[in-house]
């Protein structure tokens, strides 16, 4: 039977049989891409412990078909939580969760606040990320088309997104079943050059004022420009390119300086571990720590600005925290595609035209 779904013999599968009116679970994977270590069948879900062949990433694939009752779902979340907490590698959970996260994910049926809270607590306790879905808003509907819900989804760990940063999911067209299939894919969309950003920390760096003055006083007469607005635009572009060069050189110098300071600090520590050392040596160590701390602080302030976090409130001198927040913000605001006239499109040219046409219509003069 699994071969009728797959089409060839290059696969393995795991399944959990149906129980009464409740459907079963069938998981199929390509053995050339996914190297299975082992799999286990549980009440309501199947776990495949595997290795992603091309990257060597250890992944636990958990395929879910959740029950209806809140008490049974609560037990299911606890079982999955225990498995993930006691396993190594990254995890991706997929399937029919028979649950929604908020009221907007239901239409035409009653929203259970308590049940949704338990589901969200489960997701948050494992720091799982809900992969945003493109396409139709809901994944399930009854046969009369009077009730709609978003019951199917992908939940992944942060580490999984580090390996696949451009992960997105697509809700496909519905045929006979009452659930729409959803497709997970690694899809990078290129919308052209990214905007230039000026960092607050640059104002405190040596040489920043000098390069701005130098660029701004540079004559553009040789370009034979006469329009003042065009000259202004060209000067900004010229300044941007020079600041990029200056910042790149400054980062390299800062990284080299930090390495030299760290090497010197390690050397002093080695001497202090042999004997207490002189007071001058200990004072030098304190000075080195201060220099290293200042360099790290500048880098962390830039990360805080990228994620628009208030440094005084959120800053905890932990660059991993800022990188995590920044990556999460990028995933949240990333535009994977757009619904235009009921059709999902992800071509960058078409998406940009869709945004242009929409906002153009908003700013047109009313004919009435």
């Amino acid at each position: 039977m699994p071969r009728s779904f797959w089409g060839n013999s290059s696969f393995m599968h795991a399944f959990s049989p149906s129980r009464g009116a409740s459907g079963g679970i069938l998981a199929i994977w390509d053995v050339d891409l996914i190297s299975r270590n082992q799999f286990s069948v549980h009440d309501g879900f199947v776990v495949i412990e595997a290795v992603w062949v091309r990257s060597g990433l250890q992944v636990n694939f958990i395929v879910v078909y959740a029950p209806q009752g809140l008490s049974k779902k609560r037990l299911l979340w606890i079982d999955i939580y225990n498995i993930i907490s006691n396993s190594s590698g990254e995890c991706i959970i997929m399937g029919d969760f028979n649950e929604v996260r908020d009221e907007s994910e239901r239409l035409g049926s009653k929203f259970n606040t308590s049940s949704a809270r338990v589901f969200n607590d489960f997701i948050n306790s494992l720091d799982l990320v809900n992969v945003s879905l493109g396409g139709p808003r809901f994944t399930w509907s009854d046969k009369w088309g009077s009730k709609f819900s978003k019951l199917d989804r992908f939940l992944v760990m942060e580490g999984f997104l580090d390996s696949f940063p451009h992960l997105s999911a697509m809700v496909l067209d519905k045929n006979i079943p009452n659930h729409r299939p959803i497709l997970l894919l690694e899809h990078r969309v290129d919308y052209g050059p990214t905007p230039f950003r000026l960092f607050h920390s640059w104002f405190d760096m040596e040489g920043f004022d000098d390069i701005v003055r130098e660029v701004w006083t540079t004559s553009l007469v040789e370009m034979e420009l006469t329009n003042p607005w065009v000259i202004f635009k060209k000067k900004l572009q010229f300044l941007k390119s020079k600041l990029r060069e200056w910042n790149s050189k400054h980062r390299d110098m800062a990284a080299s300086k930090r390495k030299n300071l760290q090497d010197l600090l390690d050397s002093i520590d080695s001497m202090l571990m042999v004997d207490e050392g002189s007071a001058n040596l200990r004072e030098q160590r304190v000075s080195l720590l201060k220099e290293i701390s200042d360099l790290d602080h500048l880098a962390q302030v830039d990360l805080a600005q990228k994620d628009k976090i208030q440094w005084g409130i959120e800053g905890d001198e932990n660059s991993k925290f800022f990188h995590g927040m920044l990556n999460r913000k990028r995933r949240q605001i990333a535009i994977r595609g757009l619904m235009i006239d009921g059709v999902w499109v992800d071509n960058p040219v078409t998406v940009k035209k869709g945004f242009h046409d929409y906002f153009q219509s908003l700013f047109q003069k009313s004919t009435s």
Side-chain angles (χ1 to χ4, degrees):
M1 174 185 166
R3 184 173 297 182
S4 63
F5 290 102
W6 200 254
N8 59 55
S9 59
S10 181
F11 72 92
M12 292 189 70
H13 74 281
F15 76 96
S16 174
S18 60
R19 296 187 178 184
S22 298
I25 300 171
L26 173 63
I28 310 176
W29 61 93
D30 190 327
V31 295
D32 295 327
L33 300 176
I34 304 296
S35 175
R36 187 211 72 181
N37 293 331
Q38 61 181 3
F39 71 87
S40 54
V41 178
H42 305 262
D43 190 10
F45 65 101
V46 172
V47 180
I48 301 102
E49 299 177 31
V51 174
W52 207 290
V53 175
R54 292 180 181 176
S55 65
L57 183 69
Q58 292 187 353
V59 184
N60 296 309
F61 296 91
I62 302 178
V63 187
V64 175
Y65 184 74
Q68 289 284 351
L70 174 56
S71 59
K72 292 182 179 179
K73 279 188 284 195
R74 191 190 299 267
L75 292 175
L76 176 65
W77 309 147
I78 292 174
D79 288 342
I80 295 176
Y81 175 88
N82 290 333
I83 285 178
I84 294 178
S85 299
N86 295 305
S87 63
S88 59
E90 305 300 334
C91 288
I92 174 170
I93 313 173
M94 65 192 85
D96 178 4
F97 291 83
N98 252 319
E99 188 56 87
V100 297
R101 301 196 64 182
D102 56 60
E103 196 168 0
S104 68
E105 295 185 348
R106 280 198 186 279
L107 182 64
S109 59
K110 184 179 179 181
F111 172 68
N112 189 319
T113 305
S114 176
S115 187
R117 183 175 62 251
V118 172
F119 185 43
N120 284 316
D121 288 344
F122 158 73
I123 293 173
N124 295 331
S125 66
L126 290 168
D127 290 327
L128 296 172
V129 178
N130 189 91
V131 179
S132 55
L133 301 180
R137 178 179 168 189
F138 302 104
T139 65
W140 173 89
S141 64
D142 65 356
K143 62 182 179 180
W144 296 281
S146 60
K147 298 178 181 180
F148 298 86
S149 296
K150 185 178 178 180
L151 304 180
D152 310 89
R153 66 185 74 235
F154 292 97
L155 300 173
V156 300
M157 298 182 76
E158 289 276 1
F160 191 86
L161 290 172
D162 290 339
S163 299
F164 302 97
H166 305 290
L167 207 63
S168 61
M170 171 73 64
V171 180
L172 304 179
D173 290 336
K174 177 183 176 183
N175 294 317
I176 297 176
N178 54 3
H179 285 265
R180 290 178 179 268
I182 56 177
L183 175 67
L184 186 71
L185 67 157
E186 172 81 354
H187 178 52
R188 180 169 186 168
V189 182
D190 185 5
Y191 290 106
T194 57
F196 178 72
R197 177 174 291 164
L198 184 71
F199 290 99
H200 301 155
S201 63
W202 291 359
F203 293 98
D204 298 324
M205 292 183 186
E206 184 179 352
F208 176 77
D209 292 346
D210 295 335
I211 195 169
V212 173
R213 290 193 192 96
E214 178 186 344
V215 169
W216 209 251
T217 55
T218 300
S219 174
L220 298 179
V221 175
E222 64 275 8
M223 300 179 67
E224 298 181 356
L225 299 174
T226 56
N227 188 312
W229 288 109
V230 175
I231 294 174
F232 180 68
K233 173 190 172 185
K234 292 295 182 181
K235 280 201 170 188
L236 286 177
Q237 291 176 335
F238 186 45
L239 176 61
K240 180 179 73 171
S241 65
K242 290 299 181 182
L243 283 176
R244 286 187 188 276
E245 295 175 8
W246 170 81
N247 184 47
S248 177
K249 185 182 297 183
H250 186 276
R251 283 202 313 267
D252 293 341
M253 291 173 59
S256 177
K257 182 179 179 181
R258 194 194 187 287
K259 183 180 184 306
N260 293 334
L261 291 172
Q262 187 64 54
D263 291 342
L264 185 55
L265 181 65
D266 293 341
S267 176
I268 291 176
D269 286 345
S270 298
M271 288 186 284
L272 290 175
M273 282 187 283
V274 175
D275 54 59
E276 294 184 2
S278 64
N280 182 56
L281 199 61
R282 290 194 294 273
E283 289 177 4
Q284 188 179 355
R285 184 181 190 277
V286 172
S287 177
L288 288 172
L289 286 173
K290 174 67 168 58
E291 289 188 66
I292 292 174
S293 177
D294 289 344
L295 288 173
D296 290 343
H297 179 78
L298 285 176
Q300 289 158 357
V301 167
D302 287 349
L303 286 173
Q305 183 183 341
K306 284 182 179 181
D307 197 41
K308 299 179 182 177
I309 299 173
Q310 298 182 45
W311 175 265
I313 297 175
E314 304 289 349
D316 66 347
E317 303 291 334
N318 184 350
S319 59
K320 183 179 180 181
F321 164 78
F322 290 109
H323 277 294
M325 292 295 292
L326 180 59
N327 289 336
R328 182 171 298 181
K329 178 68 69 64
R330 283 173 174 167
R331 288 192 296 270
Q332 289 172 345
I333 66 175
I335 299 174
R336 307 297 184 189
L338 195 65
M339 288 287 287
I340 301 178
D341 297 330
V343 178
W344 178 261
V345 295
D346 55 16
N347 180 277
V349 175
T350 309
V351 170
K352 287 192 286 187
K353 185 178 185 303
F355 274 103
H356 175 271
D357 294 345
Y358 172 75
F359 284 103
Q360 185 182 54
S361 67
L362 290 181
F363 290 98
Q364 285 179 344
K365 290 185 178 181
S366 175
T367 56
S368 58

